[in-house]
Amino acid sequence: TGSLTCIGTGITLAGQITTLSKNYLEEAESVFGILPDKLSEDWVKSLNPSYESLQYLYAEGKSRRQTYQDMTEVVCQAVRDGKKVVLALYGHPGIFACVGHFAIERLIGEGYPAQMLPGVSADACLYADLGFDPGTTGCQAYEATQFLFSGVPLNTSAYTILWQIGLAGEHTLKTFKTTAQNLEASVRILNKWYPLEHEMILYEAPFIPVQKPRIDRFMLKDLPKMDITSISTLVIPPLTGLKLDKNALDEFGLDIKDFG
Ligand code: SAM
């Protein structure tokens, strides 16, 4: 019977796929993928010639919600047809990527075996390239537009990672770019939590091993002037870092003095 394994190809071409995922990829009877460029597609094809891109289901003016449903259906149908299917997504297949999750849920509901294997995501690359450990202060991550529209508070003692900043404020789900106006509104929202001079970073991990990552540091107020692409991730370092709280320590019978 058919089955589905969702794998991540990592961000940097050819080097960031796990051995286990590569085995599944090579053994699959049918491979579907959403990959960032032709080079990675050619590389996946060289491992398994059955590779078919799902990119054709995207279209300017078509709701991405519909696109993801269509992609899910194509993958599920191949499994129903009895094939051993691999869905190859760049990065980690389940981080800020819904098609793998949708397909697994649907197929398990229909009684088919379906699983996801982890991959190297953009934030995994980010901790390595920017040289910070999310465990030092804690770290919160949001999809940029969902954060901007939700009014939720930011924890400024932790790192903040805003994914898809290149789509900031894009509510129609039908186009692929943010606007200067949306970025200005984003500055006003972030300014509730950070001063306009607070330093932040636009990060882009390289897709090709010889390329260097993009690490552009700038002030919050200059966000609308930055060249933001569909692969940019915004990283906001903490304002303060974690501090000891007297009331919390009381609960443990401890005192600030106990920490020298
Ligand atoms: N599944 C992917 C992963 O595990 O990294 C994430 C896919 S999500 C739809 C797209 C967003 O991921 C981008 O808007 C950006 O925030 C981030 N991203 C993708 N490629 C990136 C790269 N090369 N460098 C930094 N961030 C990247």
Side-chain angles (χ1 to χ4, degrees):
T1 75
S3 67
L4 173 66
T5 301
C6 298
I7 64 154
T9 58
I11 301 287
T12 306
L13 179 69
Q16 288 182 343
I17 189 169
T18 67
T19 313
L20 185 59
S21 296
K22 198 170 170 199
N23 288 343
Y24 273 96
L25 182 58
E26 286 167 340
E27 303 286 308
E29 291 162 333
S30 176
V31 177
F32 296 100
I34 311 172
L35 297 170
D37 52 31
K38 183 154 184 319
L39 269 181
S40 17
E41 296 197 308
D42 287 346
W43 170 68
V44 169
K45 247 182 250 168
S46 76
L47 297 175
N48 190 321
S50 80
Y51 170 80
E52 285 172 70
S53 170
L54 294 176
Q55 296 278 7
Y56 73 94
L57 293 165
Y58 280 114
E60 191 78 43
K62 172 178 176 184
S63 165
R64 280 192 286 284
R65 240 177 239 132
Q66 187 58 47
T67 299
Y68 300 145
Q69 284 307 328
D70 293 350
M71 290 173 167
T72 304
E73 204 35 47
V74 169
V75 171
C76 290
Q77 193 51 49
V79 174
R80 293 182 199 119
D81 291 343
K83 292 199 177 124
K84 212 171 13 160
V85 177
V86 156
L87 173 63
L89 304 177
Y90 77 97
H92 184 301
I95 298 190
F96 292 85
C98 58
V99 175
H101 290 300
F102 288 167
I104 289 173
E105 197 189 340
R106 190 169 302 174
L107 288 167
I108 287 181
E110 295 176 19
Y112 294 99
Q115 62 172 345
M116 181 179 284
L117 302 178
V120 176
S121 55
D123 64 331
C125 299
L126 183 162
Y127 303 130
D129 285 332
L130 298 184
F132 78 88
D133 181 336
T136 307
T137 58
C139 186
Q140 63 205 323
Y142 288 103
E143 198 281 325
T145 303
Q146 285 182 31
F147 159 71
L148 292 165
F149 287 180
S150 72
V152 291
L154 277 185
N155 172 2
T156 56
S157 67
Y159 271 89
T160 301
I161 300 179
L162 294 184
W163 296 66
Q164 305 205 136
I165 188 69
L167 292 173
E170 208 299 289
H171 76 288
T172 66
L173 300 177
K174 287 183 178 170
T175 175
F176 294 89
K177 234 182 147 19
T178 185
T179 60
Q181 233 178 355
N182 285 346
L183 291 172
E184 279 153 20
S186 306
V187 170
R188 289 194 293 278
I189 300 239
L190 288 170
N191 186 219
K192 291 186 188 160
W193 309 102
Y194 303 98
L196 288 171
E197 283 72 35
H198 191 63
E199 186 185 86
M200 32 200 71
I201 303 158
L202 271 181
Y203 172 73
E204 291 174 14
F207 283 134
I208 298 175
V210 292
Q211 282 172 346
K212 293 243 177 313
R214 173 182 180 195
I215 301 174
D216 280 347
R217 292 172 197 275
F218 62 100
M219 286 188 261
L220 168 58
K221 62 177 181 204
D222 293 327
L223 182 67
K225 292 189 210 148
M226 299 301 293
D227 175 22
I228 299 177
T229 77
S230 62
I231 63 159
S232 303
T233 296
L234 181 67
V235 180
I236 311 178
L239 268 182
T240 54
L242 286 177
K243 291 185 189 132
L244 293 169
D245 177 65
K246 188 174 174 325
N247 293 332
L249 291 179
D250 274 351
E251 299 288 347
F252 295 87
L254 295 169
D255 191 85
I256 293 191
K257 286 202 301 287
D258 296 326
F259 293 82

